């Protein structure tokens, strides 16, 4: 007969260092999740908001900004409940956005989700490479203008700094997975607050200084410098820029997968989403509206690197260094899901390959043992190099951001969360809830199409004016 102690020994409980799915115990909290969200959301999008508000005006600009904020938060709560299925608290975990769609919808929608998500993630990493290099170049320009006057010919090349950014990313990309990124996201979130506050302070100082600028209820006015068709295209592109400013649904599930099981992950993620979206919306409203007040209808596409501000040059330098550091972290937040997906598929396809599966440990001073995998080293380095090359060919800030935002907002932030909620809760067709959710979905589809058209037109216009690899 077994003694009580024997029964206890043979019950085989889950080890304390493992979660209910057998993976390494997750330690994330609403604070770390909020840091990931802020790092993902307050990115280069904040820099273009003064320009976006200038195209839309005092009425439409803040209204569109608030509308995207509410929609993003609402759909993020729907997505958070889909992390576990069928029950949002005790169901089976889904580790990626595609897993969530597979559990709730299945069929071809899984492939459509994968295409939308990973194309968007690649686009964001390219966009961040462009923006980081622009910010580093802005430091050189700022010092050049300070030394030689505001009319000096200061146009250093972006390419060396894109290469530098890529080299840094090659090293950071060897961080094995999302769970090891909390420190980098917290640092990046601090940097995003720093440069947003600097931009905000400079805008307030400019407005308080009594500089006359032209602002209107409808934004930039049609006239000698702006045709009616250009006004329409810019308005569409501005909507895409604002959509990009809220793009974090692509990594929401991966962020949620870092959270502790208690309290339930969906509850913690909803709290983190509220904190993250509320914080970023406050910054966006202040930076966008005060930036428009400071620059008026002539607001630059990037209000810290477009040189609406020249002095104090040292403060502008600090802001741009903060942007570059922030984007170093943000790049990793967006590329880790790509890395994880490709590596998982390769392990499944070639489980016997030591090149893919074997981990080596290297002792790093002050950091201890660091895992190195040869496949991870080669493939991630190649990915970073390819995104840097594409960024060097298409270094267009606003148009690129608008296109990415337009392309990802509808499918990933609106369509899939709503469709999964309808399927999971089994909402009857043509019921009140079903109808208003469908109206919201189709309205966002129209907005995304309009924004995509404007951004493509802007990109084509930029390409006509630009010759790749021509240095000045």
């Amino acid at each position: 007969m077994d003694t009580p102690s024997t029964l206890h020994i043979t019950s085989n409980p889950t080890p304390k260092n493992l979660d209910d799915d057998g993976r390494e115990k997750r330690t994330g909290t609403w604070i770390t999740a909020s840091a990931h969200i802020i790092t993902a959301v307050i990115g280069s999008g904040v820099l273009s908001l003064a320009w976006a508000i200038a195209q839309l005006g005092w009425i439409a600009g803040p209204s569109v900004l608030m509308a995207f904020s509410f929609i993003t938060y609402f759909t993020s709560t729907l997505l958070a409940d889909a992390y576990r299925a069928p029950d949002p608290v005790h169901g089976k975990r889904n580790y990626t956005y595609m897993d969530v769609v597979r559990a709730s919808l299945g069929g071809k929608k899984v492939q459509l989700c994968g295409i939308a998500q990973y194309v968007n993630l690649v686009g964001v990493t390219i966009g961040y490479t462009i923006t980081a290099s622009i910010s580093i170049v802005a430091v050189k320009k700022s010092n050049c203008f300070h030394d030689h006057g505001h009319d000096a010919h200061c146009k250093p090349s972006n390419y060396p700094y894109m290469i530098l950014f890529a080299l840094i990313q090659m090293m950071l990309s060897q961080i094995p997975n999302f769970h090891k990124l909390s420190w980098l996201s917290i640092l990046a979130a601090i940097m995003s607050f720093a440069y947003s506050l600097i931009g905000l302070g400079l805008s307030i100082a400019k407005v308080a200084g009594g500089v006359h600028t032209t602002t209107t209820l409808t934004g930039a006015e049609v006239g000698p410098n702006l045709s009616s068709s250009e006004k329409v295209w810019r308005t569409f592109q501005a909507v895409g820029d604002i959509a990009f400013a809220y793009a974090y649904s692509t990594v929401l599930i991966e962020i949620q997968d870092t959270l502790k099981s208690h309290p339930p992950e969906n509850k913690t993620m909803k709290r983190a989403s509220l904190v993250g979206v509320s914080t970023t919306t406050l910054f966006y409203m202040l930076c966008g509206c005060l930036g428009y007040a400071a620059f008026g209808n002539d607001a630059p596409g990037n209000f810290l690197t477009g040189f609406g501000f020249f002095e104090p040059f040292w403060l502008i330098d600090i802001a741009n260094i903060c942007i570059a550091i922030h984007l170093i972290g943000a790049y990793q937040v967006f590329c880790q899901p790509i890395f994880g997906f490709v590596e998982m598929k390769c392990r499944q396809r070639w489980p016997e390959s030591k090149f893919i599966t074997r981990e080596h440990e290297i002792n790093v001073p002050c950091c201890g043992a660091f895992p190195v995998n040869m496949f991870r080293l080669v493939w991630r380095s190649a990915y970073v190099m390819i995104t840097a090359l594409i960024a060097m060919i298409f270094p267009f800030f606003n148009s690129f951001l608008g296109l990415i935002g337009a392309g990802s907002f509808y499918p990933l932030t609106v369509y899939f969360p709503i469709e999964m909620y309808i399927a999971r809760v089994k909402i009857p067709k043509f019921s009140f809830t079903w109808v208003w959710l469908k109206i919201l979905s189709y309205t966002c589809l129209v907005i995304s199409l309009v924004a995509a058209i404007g951004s493509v037109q802007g990109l084509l216009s930029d390409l006509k004016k630009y010759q790749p690899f021509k240095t000045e």
Side-chain angles (χ1 to χ4, degrees):
M1 181 176 176
D2 287 328
T3 63
S5 60
T6 306
L7 290 172
H8 176 73
I9 291 169
T10 58
S11 62
N12 194 28
T14 303
K16 289 184 178 180
N17 63 333
L18 298 178
D19 260 328
D20 55 2
D21 59 348
R23 295 194 175 190
E24 183 181 351
K25 202 158 191 75
R26 296 159 176 85
T27 57
T29 65
W30 70 269
I31 296 173
T32 60
S34 297
H36 283 313
I37 291 169
I38 291 168
T39 300
V41 180
I42 301 185
S44 51
V46 70
L47 304 171
S48 67
L49 289 179
W51 180 88
I53 300 273
Q55 310 315 308
L56 298 169
W58 283 120
I59 297 176
S63 299
V64 170
L65 200 57
M66 289 303 299
F68 275 102
S69 170
F70 285 125
I71 292 168
T72 301
Y73 173 67
F74 171 67
T75 57
S76 71
T77 62
L78 302 183
L79 195 53
D81 282 335
Y83 169 66
R84 286 183 182 263
D87 182 78
V89 177
H90 303 293
K92 179 180 176 293
R93 294 175 187 268
N94 295 289
Y95 306 115
T96 67
Y97 204 134
M98 285 180 70
D99 289 342
V100 167
V101 174
R102 184 178 291 108
S104 300
L105 299 174
K108 291 185 178 180
K109 290 181 179 178
V110 180
Q111 284 72 37
L112 291 174
C113 169
I115 292 168
Q117 182 186 11
Y118 292 109
V119 167
N120 171 257
L121 291 171
V122 172
V124 170
T125 55
I126 294 168
Y128 282 0
T129 304
I130 295 168
T131 313
S133 69
I134 290 172
S135 294
I136 300 169
V137 164
V139 174
K140 289 200 72 174
K141 284 185 179 179
S142 174
N143 287 275
C144 176
F145 287 135
H146 178 74
D147 294 336
H148 304 291
H150 298 173
D151 296 322
H153 186 77
C154 301
K155 293 187 178 181
S157 172
N158 289 24
Y159 302 131
Y161 303 103
M162 288 187 185
I163 294 168
L164 174 62
F165 183 81
L167 290 173
I168 294 170
Q169 293 303 338
M170 282 183 193
M171 291 186 287
L172 290 176
S173 291
Q174 299 313 308
I175 295 173
N177 53 52
F178 225 123
H179 305 281
K180 309 296 183 183
L181 279 180
S182 294
W183 66 272
L184 190 58
S185 279
I186 290 170
L187 173 63
I190 292 168
M191 293 297 104
S192 66
F193 281 125
Y195 70 72
S196 296
L197 287 170
I198 290 171
L200 194 57
L202 291 170
S203 296
I204 292 171
K206 189 164 185 176
V207 172
V211 176
H212 176 72
T213 57
T214 302
T215 63
T216 60
L217 293 178
T218 56
E221 297 177 316
V222 174
N225 299 319
L226 183 67
S227 68
S228 56
S229 61
E230 285 178 323
K231 168 69 175 177
V232 172
W233 295 128
R234 286 191 185 185
T235 299
F236 291 172
Q237 188 181 325
V239 173
D241 282 7
I242 293 174
F244 177 84
Y246 282 103
Y248 85 100
S249 296
T250 46
V251 292
L252 186 146
I253 296 299
E254 283 80 1
I255 293 172
Q256 193 166 344
D257 191 45
T258 67
L259 298 175
K260 294 188 292 188
S261 301
H262 302 286
E265 299 94 348
N266 64 330
K267 182 179 179 181
T268 304
M269 195 65 203
K270 288 176 185 178
R271 182 181 182 185
S273 293
L274 179 61
V275 171
V277 173
S278 300
T279 303
T280 53
T281 300
L282 176 62
F283 270 90
Y284 284 178
M285 289 296 286
L286 290 172
C287 290
C289 293
L290 284 170
Y292 181 40
F295 300 114
N297 293 335
D298 297 323
N302 182 327
F303 84 141
L304 280 175
T305 63
F307 287 93
F309 303 114
F310 287 94
E311 300 291 343
F313 79 100
W314 57 269
L315 188 59
I316 295 163
D317 289 353
I318 292 172
N320 281 297
I321 290 168
C322 288
I323 293 170
I325 294 172
H326 168 254
L327 293 179
I328 287 170
Y331 184 102
Q332 287 299 312
V333 169
F334 280 94
C335 70
Q336 282 290 340
I338 303 171
F339 295 158
F341 175 75
V342 171
E343 287 156 21
M344 177 192 69
K345 289 296 183 182
C346 289
R347 282 194 297 270
Q348 291 173 351
R349 178 69 179 82
W350 298 287
E352 304 301 323
S353 172
K354 292 181 180 179
F355 176 71
I356 293 173
T357 59
R358 179 175 288 177
E359 295 281 341
H360 306 272
E361 284 197 348
I362 296 177
N363 286 318
V364 180
C366 303
C367 298
F370 186 82
V372 175
N373 173 278
M374 293 309 296
F375 174 66
R376 188 163 64 229
L377 179 65
V378 172
W379 128 250
R380 294 189 181 192
S381 297
Y383 174 84
V384 172
M385 286 190 288
I386 291 168
T387 55
L389 181 61
I390 296 171
M392 292 170 78
I393 297 171
F394 301 106
F396 313 120
F397 179 74
N398 284 77
S399 301
F400 205 91
L401 262 55
L403 185 58
I404 296 167
S408 65
F409 178 76
Y410 175 69
L412 299 172
T413 303
V414 179
Y415 175 76
F416 284 116
I418 286 177
E419 291 300 311
M420 288 189 290
Y421 177 73
I422 290 172
R424 194 172 64 252
V425 182
K426 296 180 172 60
I427 297 174
K429 267 191 176 183
F430 305 111
S431 65
F432 175 77
T433 303
W434 186 91
V435 169
W436 82 258
L437 284 173
K438 287 292 184 179
I439 289 172
L440 174 63
S441 181
Y442 288 126
T443 302
C444 291
L445 172 60
V446 173
I447 291 169
S448 290
L449 289 173
V450 161
I453 292 167
S455 298
V456 168
Q457 194 279 336
L459 202 57
L460 292 173
S461 177
D462 288 338
L463 277 169
K464 288 178 184 177
K465 302 172 186 174
Y466 188 79
Q467 295 181 9
F469 302 106
K470 179 183 177 182
T471 57
E472 298 186 66

